Amino acid sequence: MSVTNKERYESLLKNEEFHTLLIELDGMNEPYEQFLKGIAYYKINQAEKANDIFEELHQNFPSNEISAYLIITKLKLNDIMAASKLYNELCFEENKDILADIKANQINQAINRCLFLQSIPVERPQLNPAETVEEDIINSNYQAALQKLYANESKKSCDCC
């Protein structure tokens, strides 16, 4: 896909011209084009079509972004069990990276990952904060983890440490 086409498609998406986007992407089968089609179908309340696209992409080209869209599509289709299962799988994998980020003192990256997971609208149990941020991450209690991470980040006196 050319840069011009990508910019055009993203502009259509941003401007909520979903029908035009679907017309222009008709017959296009590259993963990114399929991803944009899935978003467009989701936005025009054709969740079944969006689900089919995101399922295939999730199977063949998995990414966190595709997983997130598949989860919210499952929620829109009222398939709560599948959405929860996918969310738990995503959290399990992301938690490893969050813990690695914390260990490597990449706190902003850990915060961004927590914010991403917390932004997915899956109902989660209300948990009390754990003793450590690592325990909060393992428990997928991102709100408590974020509070601890932000507190640690604000204690830094400079960007070097």
Side-chain angles (χ1 to χ4, degrees):
M1 172 188 326
S2 72
V3 172
T4 304
N5 284 347
K6 184 177 180 182
E7 289 173 355
R8 165 87 176 137
Y9 300 150
E10 289 175 357
S11 173
L12 290 171
L13 191 64
K14 181 181 176 189
N15 293 323
E16 299 183 5
E17 297 179 46
F18 307 120
H19 287 79
T20 303
L21 179 61
L22 288 168
I23 290 167
E24 291 193 19
L25 289 173
D26 188 43
M28 307 279 195
N29 292 313
E30 292 296 318
Y32 187 69
E33 295 160 344
Q34 290 297 309
F35 179 67
L36 293 175
K37 281 186 199 179
I39 294 171
Y41 280 126
Y42 178 85
K43 295 288 190 172
I44 62 172
N45 293 315
Q46 292 187 19
E48 287 290 341
K49 287 183 179 180
N51 184 68
D52 292 344
I53 290 171
F54 292 135
E55 283 277 0
E56 187 173 326
L57 289 171
H58 181 71
Q59 205 59 27
N60 298 312
F61 306 97
S63 73
N64 290 347
E65 195 170 24
I66 290 168
S67 294
Y69 274 99
L70 181 57
I71 292 165
I72 62 171
T73 302
K74 296 283 186 198
L75 291 171
K76 192 167 199 163
L77 292 170
N78 209 26
D79 191 351
I80 308 304
M81 293 300 289
S84 293
K85 182 178 185 257
L86 286 164
Y87 181 77
N88 289 336
E89 290 169 2
L90 179 61
C91 290
F92 180 77
E93 291 304 317
E94 274 297 287
N95 287 351
K96 295 176 199 174
D97 292 333
I98 295 169
L99 293 171
D101 289 339
I102 292 169
K103 187 174 183 179
N105 204 28
Q106 299 295 318
I107 304 304
N108 282 332
Q109 181 65 25
I111 288 170
N112 288 336
R113 290 181 197 274
C114 289
L115 288 170
F116 166 70
L117 292 169
Q118 190 177 25
S119 74
I120 300 171
V122 173
E123 280 196 42
R124 295 178 288 278
Q126 294 296 321
L127 302 172
N128 290 324
E131 290 292 317
T132 66
V133 67
E134 291 81 6
E135 289 175 278
D136 286 325
I137 298 300
I138 291 166
N139 294 330
S140 299
N141 188 353
Y142 302 112
Q143 185 171 352
L146 283 165
Q147 289 174 345
K148 289 178 177 84
L149 290 169
Y150 283 130
N152 287 344
E153 191 67 6
S154 67
K155 289 179 187 175
K156 288 172 62 173
S157 59
C158 62
D159 287 337
C160 63
C161 53

